[in-house]
C-alpha cells in the first residue's frame, strides 16, 4: 500500500490523551490522527496501552472504576469527552470487535439486530432487511441464510467473529475498532477476516490492534507504535516498516521486544 | 500398616455413603409399599379426583388438597420469583461489589430461619392484615403464598445470583459497545444468558414451597375444600399428612402415605425440570 494521500481529512484526532488506572499512568500524552476510510494499526509490546487507547475511543474505559482521563479525542471535530456527550450514541458510532468473538447467546438474527433494537428501531421488514444487508456485508449470508434462528454460539469461531462484524454493519458505525480480532482464529479464518477488512475499508474507518507484524504491514495504511503508554511513532505504515524514525520502533518491529 | 488404615477408612466411608443412600431408598420403598396398595384398592380416580375427604366414612378424595397445594405453590412463585430475580439482577448489576458481599450472605441467612417463625409472623401480622383489609378469614391461600414466597426468596435469589454471576463479562461489554444502556444490556443479554439458571432457581424454590409444612399449617387455615378465591382457607397435601398422621390408623393411615406419594411425584417432577433447565445451554430460540 502506498503512503496515503496527504489531503485526506482526519476522521478522528487524539490530542494529549492521558489515562490513569488509579495511580498507574497507562497513556501518556498520546496523540494521533486517524484518516477516513483507512486502516490504522496500533502495535507495540504487551502492556504498552494499545487496548487502553482503543477503549478510550468509544469510552469503554468509563466502565472501569478509578479511571481518570484528560486530553481530547475528537471524532469529526467533536470532543467525545465533552460534558453532555451521549455515550450510548457515541458507542453506536464507534463499533468495536473484541479479541475473543463475543456473540450473544441469542439467535443469529437477534445478534445482528441487537444494535438496532437498542436504538429503538422496530418493524419486522426494516429488521429483516438489515439482517440480510449486514450478513452479506460480513460475508455470512450464504452460510447463514437458512439458519437465522439457530444459536449464534453454535457457529464456528471465525463465523462468530464475522457475526460480530455483521452486528456492527447493522448500525453502520463511522469508525470500527478492532482489538486483535484474529488472535483467537486459525490462519485460514484470519485470512478471511483480513480480506473482509480490506473490503470494509471502502466504507469505514478502521483501527486495529495487532501483535502480528505481517498483518500490520500488509493491512494497514497508517501505523502507531506504542511503548510504555507513549505513542513513540505514528506514520504511514510503509514508511514505518521500511524506515522507522525511532530506534525503539525498529527494535520492536524486528522482534527485539516481547 | 499405612495401607491398612487407608483401606479401613475407605471401607468405612463407603459404608456411610451406602447407608445414607439405603435409608433414602428405604423411605421411598416404605411410602410406596404403604400407599400403592391403597391407591389400587380405592382406585386412582376416587383418590385423586374426588372432593370428599371423610376418612371416618371411608371417603378419601384429596382433590381439594392437590388444588390447594398447586394454588399455594404458584402463589408463592408469583411472590418469590419476581422479587428474587429482581433482587439478584439488582445486586449483581447495579450495586457495588462490596455491598453485594454483605447483602448476599445476609439473604442466604434468611434460609436458616425456622419455618415456624415465618408461620408465627404470618399468623400474628399478615393474617390479621388480610382479614382487616381484604376480608375473609385471613388464614388463606394469599397468606400462605406471601409467607412461602418470602421463604423461597433465598433459594431463588442465590441460584439466580450465581447464574447471573456466571455470565461472561464479554456479553455485557459487547452489548454496551453496541450502544446499549446498562439496563438494556442486562435485560436483553445478561438475563437471557442466565435464563436457564434463573428458571432452575425458581423451580427449586417451588419445590421448597410445595414441600413446606409447618408455616403452611399455621397460615393457610386448613379447611378441606377447593379454594374459590385467594382469600379462602385451604389445606395443602403436606398439611393434611402432618395434621392427621397422629391419630390415623388402617386405611386412613395408608391414605396419608398415598398422599405422600403424590407429593413425592410433584417434587420429583419439579426437580427434574430444574435439573434439565440447568443442563440446557442458553442460546438460540
Ligand atoms: N483495568 C485495569 N486496571 C489497572 N490497570 C490496567 C487495567 N487494564 C490495563 N491495565 C494496565 O494498563 C497497561 C496497558 O494495558 P493494555 O491492556 O492497554 O495493554 P495492551 O497494549 O493492550 O497489551 P496486550 O498487547 O497484552 O493486549 C498494562 O500495564 C495493564 O496492566
Ligand atoms: Mg490488549
Amino acid at each position: 500500500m502506498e503512503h496515503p494521500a496527504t489531503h485526506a481529512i482526519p476522521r478522528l484526532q487524539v490530542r494529549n490523551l492521558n489515562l490513569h488506572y488509579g495511580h498507574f499512568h497507562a497513556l501518556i500524552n498520546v496523540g494521533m490522527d486517524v484518516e477516513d476510510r483507512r486502516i490504522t494499526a496500533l502495535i507495540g509490546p504487551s502492556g504498552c496501552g494499545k487496548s487502553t487507547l482503543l477503549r478510550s475511543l468509544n469510552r469503554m474505559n468509563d466502565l472501569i472504576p478509578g479511571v481518570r482521563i484528560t486530553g481530547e479525542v475528537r471524532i469529526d471535530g467533536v470532543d467525545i469527552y465533552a460534558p453532555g456527550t451521549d455515550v450510548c450514541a457515541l458507542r453506536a458510532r464507534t463499533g468495536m470487535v473484541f479479541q475473543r468473538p463475543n456473540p450473544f447467546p441469542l439467535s443469529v438474527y437477534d445478534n445482528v439486530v441487537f444494535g438496532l433494537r437498542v436504538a429503538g428501531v422496530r418493524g419486522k421488514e426494516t429488521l429483516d432487511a438489515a439482517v440480510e444487508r449486514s450478513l452479506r456485508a460480513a460475508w455470512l449470508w450464504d452460510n447463514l441464510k437458512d439458519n437465522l434462528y439457530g444459536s449464534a454460539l453454535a457457529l464456528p469461531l471465525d463465523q462468530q467473529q464475522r457475526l460480530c462484524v455483521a452486528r456492527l454493519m447493522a448500525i453502520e458505525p463511522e469508525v470500527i475498532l478492532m482489538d486483535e480480532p484474529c488472535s483467537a482464529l486459525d490462519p485460514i479464518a484470519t485470512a478471511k477476516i483480513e480480506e473482509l477488512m480490506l473490503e470494509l475499508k471502502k466504507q469505514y474507518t478502521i483501527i486495529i490492534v495487532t501483535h502480528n507484524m505481517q498483518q500490520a504491514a500488509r493491512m494497514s495504511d497508517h501505523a502507531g507504535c506504542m511503548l510504555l503508554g507513549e505513542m513513540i511513532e505514528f506514520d504511514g505504515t510503509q514508511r514505518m516498516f521500511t524506515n522507522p524514525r525511532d530506534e525503539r520502533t525498529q527494535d520492536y518491529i524486528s522482534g527485539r521486544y516481547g | 500398616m499405612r495401607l491398612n488404615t487407608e483401606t479401613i477408612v475407605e471401607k468405612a466411608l463407603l459404608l456411610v455413603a451406602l447407608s445414607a443412600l439405603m435409608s433414602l431408598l428405604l423411605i421411598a420403598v416404605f411410602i410406596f409399599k404403604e400407599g400403592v396398595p391403597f391407591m389400587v384398592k380405592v382406585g386412582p380416580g376416587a383418590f385423586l379426583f374426588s372432593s370428599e375427604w371423610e376418612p371416618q366414612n371411608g371417603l378419601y378424595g384429596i382433590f381439594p388438597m392437590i388444588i390447594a397445594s398447586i394454588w399455594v405453590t404458584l402463589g408463592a412463585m408469583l411472590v418469590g420469583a419476581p422479587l428474587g430475580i429482581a433482587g439478584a439482577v439488582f445486586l449483581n448489576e447495579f450495586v457495588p461489589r462490596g455491598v453485594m458481599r454483605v447483602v448476599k450472605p445476609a439473604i442466604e441467612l434468611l434460609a436458616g430461619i425456622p419455618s415456624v417463625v415465618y408461620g408465627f409472623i404470618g399468623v400474628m401480622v399478615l393474617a390479621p392484615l388480610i382479614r382487616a383489609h381484604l376480608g375473609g378469614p385471613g388464614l388463606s391461600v394469599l397468606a400462605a403464598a406471601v409467607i412461602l414466597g418470602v421463604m423461597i426468596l433465598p433459594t431463588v435469589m442465590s441460584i439466580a445470583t450465581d447464574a447471573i454471576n456466571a455470565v461472561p463479562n464479554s456479553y455485557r461489554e459487547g452489548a454496551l459497545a453496541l450502544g446499549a444502556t446498562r439496563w438494556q444490556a442486562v435485560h436483553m443479554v445478561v438475563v437471557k444468558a442466565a435464563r436457564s439458571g434463573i428458571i432452575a432457581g425458581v423451580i427449586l424454590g417451588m419445590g421448597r414451597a410445595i414441600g413446606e409444612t409447618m408455616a403452611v399449617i399455621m397460615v393457610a387455615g386448613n379447611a378441606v375444600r377447593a379454594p374459590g378465591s385467594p382469600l379462602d382457607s385451604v389445606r395443602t397435601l403436606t398439611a393434611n399428612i402432618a395434621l392427621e398422621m397422629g391419630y390415623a390408623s388402617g386405611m386412613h393411615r395408608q391414605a396419608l402415605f398415598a398422599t405422600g406419594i403424590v407429593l413425592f411425584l410433584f417434587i420429583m417432577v419439579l426437580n427434574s425440570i430444574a435439573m434439565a433447565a440447568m443442563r440446557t445451554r442458553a442460546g438460540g430460540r
Side-chain angles (χ1 to χ4, degrees):
Chain A
M1 244 140 282
E2 247 319 299
H3 191 268
T6 43
H7 57 264
I9 345 103
R11 186 85 211 238
L12 187 149
Q13 295 169 293
V14 179
R15 291 282 176 279
N16 286 323
L17 188 69
N18 282 279
L19 184 146
H20 294 259
Y21 289 117
H23 294 294
F24 180 69
H25 200 170
L27 294 178
I28 306 165
N29 289 324
V30 170
M32 65 174 178
D33 280 350
V34 174
E35 286 176 13
D36 195 18
R37 301 179 195 211
R38 296 281 183 272
I39 296 177
T40 301
L42 297 176
I43 60 173
S46 200
C48 67
K50 307 177 295 292
S51 299
T52 302
L53 174 57
L54 203 68
R55 294 165 56 93
S56 301
L57 305 181
N58 62 348
R59 294 189 58 170
M60 288 299 278
N61 285 327
D62 291 17
L63 303 172
I64 301 169
V67 167
R68 274 182 302 125
I69 300 168
T70 61
E72 280 176 15
V73 176
R74 290 180 182 277
I75 297 180
D76 295 332
V78 180
D79 185 359
I80 66 169
Y81 282 97
T85 302
D86 178 347
V87 178
C88 291
L90 165 74
R91 289 185 185 142
R93 288 167 56 205
T94 49
M96 185 164 230
V97 178
F98 294 81
Q99 186 163 356
R100 286 209 56 84
N102 61 346
F104 305 126
L106 307 171
S107 67
V108 169
Y109 187 101
D110 287 338
N111 264 279
V112 176
V113 300
F114 185 88
L116 292 173
R117 287 202 172 127
V118 151
V121 178
R122 297 285 180 274
K124 186 167 160 38
E125 272 164 41
T126 319
L127 296 181
D128 285 353
V131 167
E132 175 163 356
R133 176 176 56 73
S134 311
L135 288 178
R136 280 192 194 284
W139 299 345
L140 277 172
W141 179 248
D142 291 332
N143 298 89
L144 297 183
K145 65 171 181 266
D146 298 321
N147 188 24
L148 293 178
Y149 301 108
S151 171
L153 299 187
L155 303 178
L157 265 190
D158 68 308
Q159 290 191 12
Q160 288 190 13
Q161 193 64 307
R162 276 185 287 145
L163 182 63
C164 292
V165 173
R167 218 158 54 172
L168 301 184
M169 300 297 97
I171 53 174
E172 302 186 302
E174 291 154 29
V175 180
I176 297 180
L177 311 171
M178 299 179 142
D179 195 347
E180 302 184 45
C182 302
S183 64
L185 305 180
D186 63 46
I188 294 173
T190 298
K192 228 183 248 168
I193 299 267
E194 288 183 359
E195 212 182 323
L196 175 60
M197 282 171 61
L198 291 175
E199 179 70 27
L200 294 179
K201 179 175 111 164
K202 293 175 187 161
Q203 276 189 59
Y204 297 94
T205 304
I206 299 176
I207 305 177
I208 177 177
V209 169
T210 178
H211 270 134
N212 179 331
M213 287 311 105
Q214 287 80 27
Q215 186 175 52
R218 70 181 168 251
M219 303 286 302
S220 66
D221 305 285
H222 286 194
C225 183
M226 298 183 69
L227 187 64
L228 298 174
E230 286 182 277
M231 183 72 79
I232 54 174
E233 185 160 352
F234 191 90
D235 210 336
T237 300
Q238 205 180 31
R239 167 75 151 281
M240 183 186 288
F241 276 80
T242 51
N243 185 19
R245 292 169 218 255
D246 194 303
E247 198 177 306
R248 296 168 297 175
T249 310
Q250 170 79 56
D251 288 348
Y252 177 67
I253 291 172
S254 58
R256 250 167 275 170
Y257 288 102
Chain B
M1 198 59 212
R2 158 157 303 187
L3 201 76
N4 253 340
T5 37
E6 255 181 44
T7 1
I8 292 170
V9 168
E10 209 174 275
K11 289 265 146 55
L13 284 177
L14 185 71
L15 207 71
V16 172
L18 274 182
S19 57
L21 213 72
M22 283 304 292
S23 52
L24 283 179
L25 203 70
L26 276 177
I27 291 173
V29 167
F30 187 63
I31 295 175
F32 278 82
K33 189 180 127 291
E34 293 281 319
V36 170
F38 168 84
M39 279 208 225
V40 173
K41 209 177 317 163
V42 177
F47 177 58
L48 295 175
F49 299 114
S50 148
S51 295
E52 311 299 324
W53 175 262
E54 291 167 21
Q56 65 279 19
N57 301 329
L59 293 172
Y60 299 103
I62 61 166
F63 189 67
M65 287 159 304
I66 293 179
I67 297 300
S69 275
I70 292 174
W71 272 51
V72 166
T73 304
L74 288 178
M77 191 192 78
L78 283 182
V79 174
L83 285 180
I85 295 169
V89 166
F90 186 70
L91 272 189
N92 264 287
E93 303 291 330
F94 298 100
V95 159
R97 288 275 124 176
V99 177
M100 160 117 162
R101 249 173 256 134
V102 178
V103 176
K104 192 176 178 236
I107 285 165
E108 277 161 8
L109 220 61
L110 284 180
I113 298 177
S115 66
V116 67
V117 173
Y118 283 100
F120 186 64
I121 294 173
V123 171
M124 300 307 289
V125 181
L126 188 61
L129 275 178
I130 292 174
R131 189 162 48 229
H133 295 283
L134 300 172
L139 300 173
S140 57
V141 173
L142 180 62
V146 171
I147 292 293
L148 284 179
V150 175
M151 286 180 72
I152 67 173
L153 256 186
T155 309
V156 176
M157 199 151 157
S158 85
I159 296 174
T161 302
D162 292 342
I164 293 172
N165 233 333
V167 174
N169 220 12
S170 63
Y171 292 163
R172 293 181 187 86
E173 287 206 319
L176 294 172
L178 284 164
T181 60
R182 223 33 223 253
W183 169 238
Q184 286 173 325
V186 168
H187 83 95
M188 292 171 77
V189 177
V190 175
V191 170
K192 283 192 182 155
R195 188 176 42 195
S196 54
I198 292 174
I199 291 173
V202 170
I203 291 173
L204 285 178
M206 287 172 71
R208 268 207 70 188
I210 204 169
E212 173 53 41
T213 311
M214 181 46 91
V216 173
I217 290 178
M218 292 171 78
V219 300
N222 301 322
V224 184
R225 59 155 196 261
S229 101
L231 298 176
D232 288 346
S233 66
V234 291
R235 180 186 292 190
T236 61
L237 294 167
T238 51
N240 193 42
I241 299 174
L243 288 170
E244 300 196 357
M245 196 49 109
Y247 59 84
S249 60
M251 279 283 271
H252 185 190
R253 212 172 79 104
Q254 285 191 321
L256 297 181
F257 274 107
T259 310
I261 295 179
V262 174
L263 254 181
F264 189 88
L265 294 179
F266 265 115
I267 293 176
M268 286 272 284
V269 168
L270 284 177
N271 284 1
S272 323
I273 296 174
M275 263 149 62
M278 285 212 242
R279 231 176 284 130
T280 46
R281 298 268 304 132
R285 296 194 195 184

